[in-house]
Amino acid sequence: MIFQKRSTRTRVSSETGMALLGGHALFLGPSDIQLGVNESMKDTASVLSRFNDIILARVFAHNDITELAKYSSVPIINALSDLHHPLQTLADLMALQQHFGKDLSGKTVAWVGDGNNVLHDLMLGSLKMGMNVQIATPAGYECDPDIMAKSVVLAKKNGATLTTTNVAEDAVKGADVVVTDTWVSMGQEDEYEKRVKEFDGYQVNTELMGKANDGAVFLHCLPRHVEEVTDEVIYSDASLVFNEAENRMWTVMAVMAAQMGKVE
Ligand code: CP
Ligand code: NVA
């Protein structure tokens, strides 16, 4: 497990999950291995492949994940890059299925916040499940255009709708699920003040939740800050955030077992 950034959920769920599967996980933080300082991605991937059955990596640039995948002879699991957070989406969809039932098609997910890595996989995953996606981001914080293009194709294929707006209230109207994430992702700490100003009006609070459908639920991958969601919402009965967090373990276990050929 290569971690170039901090982690609570991803690290602990993967390490504990691998132990529960009967395996062993090694945590390699930024100062534990040569990667990035003294050794290339290519050599690191080749060497780690000789010792391990899976490489799980949390990196800054998504290109590092594709490099690892190119040179590794064992499966690579993306544990967060600047572009994607697929493990999070699996846990989110599981939390929604636990709440609404297995068939999520026709439900509407609203994203209110940064057009970031967490949104990218959530939109791809939700559309694959036949859910509609309504995205509100401040101007200048829209999601990646290539991922948007893929999402448009997926929406068409699955008979789902996909909309974007700069108005938080518009995204939340008709939503069964309201989701946000930090406004300041890891590596963007220097932009904190600018971002907090530019995300003004994007806080998920009781008033905003009140504009969603009756019975709407709230998701956040965590860690959370009060500027993006109030205590009232995150600790309310509508919040599924701790089920989401727990599901990080069950879902990464399924991914690891599948990658080792232990399940279909
Ligand atoms: N949600 C998530 O990936 O949390 P960590 O950064 O703590 O792993
Ligand atoms: N968007 C956040 C997610 C953290 C789990 C980040 O990249 O830091």
Side-chain angles (χ1 to χ4, degrees):
M1 306 196 312
I2 300 172
F3 280 82
Q4 294 186 330
K5 300 178 186 174
R6 296 181 302 273
S7 171
T8 298
R9 279 140 290 270
T10 307
R11 184 225 168 136
V12 178
S13 62
S14 304
E15 198 165 326
T16 308
M18 187 45 110
L20 289 176
L21 287 172
H24 178 67
L26 286 164
F27 175 77
L28 305 169
S31 52
D32 290 325
I33 55 172
Q34 305 278 8
L35 181 66
V37 182
N38 199 24
E39 195 156 26
S40 67
M41 214 38 94
K42 178 177 174 173
D43 291 359
T44 304
S46 302
V47 171
L48 292 184
S49 297
R50 302 290 178 110
F51 304 136
N52 299 281
D53 296 302
I54 292 178
I55 299 171
L56 177 143
R58 169 167 285 197
V59 299
F60 285 91
H62 187 70
N63 191 46
D64 287 350
I65 293 287
T66 50
E67 280 273 292
L68 282 172
K70 190 168 163 195
Y71 295 110
S72 161
S73 59
V74 299
I76 300 294
I77 299 176
N78 180 354
L80 184 93
S81 65
D82 56 1
L83 212 53
H84 289 289
H85 199 4
L87 293 174
Q88 185 63 49
T89 295
L90 294 177
D92 295 358
L93 294 176
M94 181 177 168
L96 293 179
Q97 285 187 320
Q98 287 169 323
H99 185 80
F100 290 115
K102 207 169 170 198
D103 183 9
L104 296 174
S105 60
K107 295 282 179 208
T108 296
V109 178
W111 176 270
V112 179
D114 193 13
N116 68 10
N117 42 13
V118 174
L119 168 62
H120 289 158
D121 288 288
L122 183 70
M123 64 199 271
L124 293 166
S126 301
L127 292 167
K128 277 187 190 167
M129 301 297 278
M131 286 190 279
N132 306 311
V133 177
Q134 304 180 167
I135 300 167
T137 56
Y141 293 94
E142 290 82 7
C143 74
D144 179 85
D146 290 342
I147 290 169
M148 179 49 82
K150 272 189 207 157
S151 300
V152 168
V153 173
L154 261 180
K156 258 193 205 133
K157 187 176 155 205
N158 294 337
T161 59
L162 172 61
T163 62
T164 59
T165 173
N166 299 128
V167 182
E169 287 77 7
D170 290 350
V172 160
K173 236 175 267 164
D176 303 295
V177 187
V178 177
V179 195
T180 193
D181 181 20
T182 181
W183 298 343
V184 187
S185 283
M186 286 180 272
Q188 299 172 337
E189 288 81 2
D190 291 352
E191 298 173 32
Y192 179 84
E193 279 177 20
K194 176 177 176 273
R195 283 176 167 261
V196 167
K197 244 185 245 155
E198 295 185 348
F199 282 76
D200 188 35
Y202 276 74
Q203 186 191 51
V204 180
N205 50 35
T206 304
E207 198 190 333
L208 192 70
M209 284 300 289
K211 299 200 159 89
N213 285 348
D214 286 346
V217 295
F218 174 75
L219 296 180
H220 190 307
C221 66
L222 307 175
R224 124 318 154 157
H225 313 88
V226 77
E227 59 260 19
E228 71 245 3
V229 55
T230 59
D231 280 3
E232 215 179 342
V233 169
I234 202 162
Y235 301 120
S236 70
D237 289 343
S239 172
L240 303 182
V241 299
F242 296 109
N243 296 351
E244 239 187 308
E246 176 185 331
N247 291 343
R248 292 296 310 272
M249 189 174 76
W250 307 121
T251 49
V252 76
M253 285 172 71
V255 171
M256 294 188 297
Q259 292 301 323
M260 291 186 294
K262 303 290 187 200
V263 289
E264 291 283 301

